[in-house]
Amino acid sequence: MTNTTPIIEFRSAGYSVGSTVILTGIDLTVARGETLVLLGESGCGKTTTLKMINRLIEPTSGEVLVEGKPTTDWDAVDLRRHIGFVLQEAGLMPHFSVAGNIGLVPRLLSWERERIDQRVREMMELVGLDSAKFADRFPHELSGGQKQRVGVARALAADPKIVLLDEPFGALDAITRNKLQREFAELVRSLQKTAVFVTHDLHEAMLLGSRIALMERGRIVSVDTPDNFAKSDSALARAYLDTVRL
């Protein structure tokens, strides 16, 4: 269940490269336990916004806070180890086994071996992978859907409060994608994680999001619940809605 306590805050955050403005005036809060979806076309600034949360990108104006502390005041490595991150096509380490990939962050956090092994088994069960069958396999031996399950398990392994997801299901076939979307939605709810999810797919946004932040040209156009988004008078929102009404 969500509450109103913000765990992530954007305060007039912007990002520019030289004279090129990528993001401007981002004001946004993400409450503990909610899934906020960043929705928009390619190039609108969704991924840049996401990366500012774990300090892969630092704002050139304004600030971003995680748990009340500006990201620039965090040690970058420590911040990233406490935030799960799932990429499109999983971004797995090719020379690590499934177990090695899932246990990566716990190892970096100096967990004991027995605790890591137990956590790997727990995470594999959580995402529907048989540890006896898959733990010793390598990424090239997995299907696309299996890789994404490992990616989600890796992101959750150190029990982070925040999970960031950058179009994690975009490269999958429609049936596998729909199955993983529904499983992920249930997983986040059951674990009470805070998630920020990037997508250009309105169906995915409506299915997964507690709220949808609609972006265009480096700005946030609106922030609505899925129900309110469906009734929006915004021209951009209506354009998205027309894609699912066809």
Side-chain angles (χ1 to χ4, degrees):
M1 180 179 295
T2 62
N3 62 45
T4 57
T5 304
I7 191 169
I8 301 166
E9 298 177 76
F10 289 80
R11 297 180 178 173
S12 299
Y15 181 70
S16 300
V17 179
S19 61
T20 302
V21 177
I22 310 298
L23 293 174
T24 184
I26 303 296
D27 287 298
L28 187 65
T29 63
V30 184
R32 293 179 187 274
E34 82 164 317
T35 297
L36 179 86
V37 173
L38 299 173
L39 173 68
E41 298 178 347
S42 297
C44 72
K46 305 184 301 295
T47 295
T48 301
T49 302
L50 188 79
K51 288 181 176 180
M52 286 204 291
I53 297 171
N54 66 351
R55 206 180 165 187
L56 287 174
I57 292 174
E58 294 184 3
T60 53
S61 61
E63 61 182 357
V64 181
L65 290 80
V66 173
E67 297 200 85
K69 180 179 176 179
T71 54
T72 50
D73 289 349
W74 282 85
D75 175 80
V77 173
D78 186 51
L79 177 65
R80 291 169 199 154
R81 286 178 181 174
H82 289 83
I83 297 177
F85 197 10
V86 186
L87 303 169
Q88 189 174 118
E89 298 184 350
L92 302 179
M93 299 290 189
H95 53 292
F96 284 7
S97 67
V98 167
N101 270 282
I102 296 173
L104 178 61
V105 176
R107 284 198 304 277
L108 293 173
L109 294 174
S110 300
W111 287 20
E112 294 181 358
R113 178 60 184 270
E114 184 177 342
R115 184 185 177 195
I116 294 173
D117 291 344
Q118 180 179 346
R119 187 62 173 172
V120 167
R121 290 192 295 270
E122 290 172 352
M123 289 298 97
M124 293 188 70
E125 180 179 351
L126 191 67
V127 299
L129 291 174
D130 182 347
S131 60
K133 183 177 180 181
F134 290 100
D136 294 330
R137 291 192 185 182
F138 287 83
H140 72 273
E141 300 176 295
L142 305 176
S143 69
Q146 289 165 349
K147 289 178 184 177
Q148 288 309 116
R149 291 175 189 274
V150 175
V152 171
R154 181 178 63 181
L156 295 173
D159 198 22
K161 296 178 182 177
I162 300 168
V163 183
L164 309 179
L165 303 102
D166 192 1
E167 301 200 60
F169 310 133
L172 302 176
D173 65 86
I175 293 175
T176 302
R177 178 174 182 162
N178 185 258
K179 180 177 175 62
L180 288 182
Q181 286 168 344
R182 294 182 182 280
E183 290 178 359
F184 174 76
E186 178 57 34
L187 192 61
V188 169
R189 280 193 292 268
S190 65
L191 296 176
Q192 298 184 10
K193 297 297 181 186
T194 303
V196 182
F197 194 108
V198 164
T199 187
H200 61 270
D201 182 333
L202 178 60
H203 173 77
E204 187 166 69
M206 299 285 274
L207 176 67
L208 299 179
S210 308
R211 291 184 300 148
I212 299 169
L214 181 60
M215 297 189 68
E216 183 180 35
R217 298 177 183 175
R219 294 180 179 272
I220 292 179
V221 176
S222 63
V223 183
D224 285 309
T225 64
D227 285 346
N228 287 338
F229 188 98
K231 297 179 284 189
S232 174
D233 292 328
S234 159
L236 184 59
R238 290 200 308 272
Y240 271 96
L241 290 164
D242 285 343
T243 67
V244 296
R245 290 171 180 156
L246 294 175

